[in-house]
Amino acid sequence: TAGQTAPFSVVASGTPPLSYQWRKNSSPITGATSASYTTPPTVAGDSGASFDVQVSNSAGSLNSGTAILTVNALVVSGLTLNPATVTGGTPSTATVTLNGPAPAAGVTVGLSSGNTSAATVPDTVTVLANATSATFTVTSIAGTALDSSVITATFNGSANATLTVNPPAVSAVTLNPTGVIGGALSTGTIILNGPAPPVLRGIAVSLSSSDPSVATVPTVTSVPADATSVTFPVTTLAVTSQKSAIITAT
């Protein structure tokens, strides 16, 4: 693969000492005078080059058979996302992989998102010299419904991976305090598993009480855009004995 070195070796026998001279396209290679030779990092233009070695001793010289070098183009060979499913507003880490090490100048890989309303990516990512991979951040967008985007990396070819973006959902409801004298107030807190979407200026959450004769709540409250929580009042009623009510948010 372009950027990698190519090793050659020969086994010869005869009256010592044996001398070696490697050649590329019939021209001697300076300093290549041992039984093995390794090329510098290859480039696409090296593909098709011929290599052989001339072995000499006091009796004369003999040329080896010819080896033809094939250099495959350096290409993007893979793209992974971790995680591949997120709640909108939560990032994912992408890893782009090449089929060989990047040359000294590095490799600039183009990036794109097939659905920028679900996820965005930088325009490019650089694979540094001698590295075979690089990471970048995929930024997911909070929305009100399940969505997805195909992320594509391009360099002499392409690879893609799909990011699934879930809408935020209620992950917990807390009460403070959890026990009161009837008639006193408690404060409820709704916690989402991701930021509320900017669309519609937040997200509406329905509230209910399992026993309105004990405690009442607003029927609906809204988590503001980009927030992950909101508080609401829980109003209790006077009772003649200890009672409880389950507060639910959906």
Side-chain angles (χ1 to χ4, degrees):
T1 301
Q4 294 180 303
T5 59
F8 298 91
S9 63
V10 68
V11 177
S13 61
T15 303
L18 298 178
S19 299
Y20 303 86
Q21 178 59 65
W22 288 90
R23 303 187 301 176
K24 177 182 180 181
N25 296 330
S26 301
S27 297
I29 301 171
T30 302
T33 56
S34 65
S36 62
Y37 169 68
T38 299
T39 69
T42 56
V43 295
D46 291 324
S47 191
S50 63
F51 290 82
D52 66 352
V53 61
Q54 185 178 73
V55 183
S56 305
N57 66 1
S58 58
S61 63
L62 183 67
N63 293 338
S64 71
T66 299
I68 304 299
L69 178 64
T70 298
V71 180
N72 295 318
L74 190 64
V75 300
V76 169
S77 60
L79 178 66
T80 60
L81 299 174
N82 183 29
T85 300
V86 298
T87 298
T90 304
S92 176
T93 298
T95 301
V96 60
T97 304
L98 304 179
N99 64 339
V107 164
T108 300
V109 178
L111 304 173
S112 64
S113 168
N115 180 7
T116 54
S117 66
T120 60
V121 294
D123 291 334
T124 61
V125 66
T126 299
V127 182
L128 299 178
N130 300 316
T132 58
S133 65
T135 61
F136 61 93
T137 299
V138 181
T139 302
S140 66
I141 310 300
T144 58
L146 179 68
D147 209 345
S148 66
S149 179
V150 177
I151 308 302
T152 302
T154 305
F155 180 79
N156 290 337
S158 63
N160 56 63
T162 299
L163 181 69
T164 300
V165 182
N166 290 317
V170 174
S171 61
V173 177
T174 64
L175 298 174
N176 184 30
T178 55
V180 297
I181 301 297
L185 289 175
S186 178
T187 298
T189 301
I190 298 168
I191 301 171
L192 303 181
N193 62 350
V199 179
L200 304 179
R201 299 182 180 179
I203 188 170
V205 178
S206 298
L207 297 170
S208 64
S209 168
S210 64
D211 189 346
S213 68
V214 175
T216 61
V217 292
T219 55
V220 176
T221 190
S222 294
V223 181
D226 300 320
T228 57
S229 65
V230 70
T231 60
F232 61 93
V234 180
T235 303
T236 65
L237 285 78
V239 293
T240 57
S241 61
Q242 187 180 69
K243 292 187 178 182
S244 62
I246 298 172
I247 307 303
T248 302
T250 55

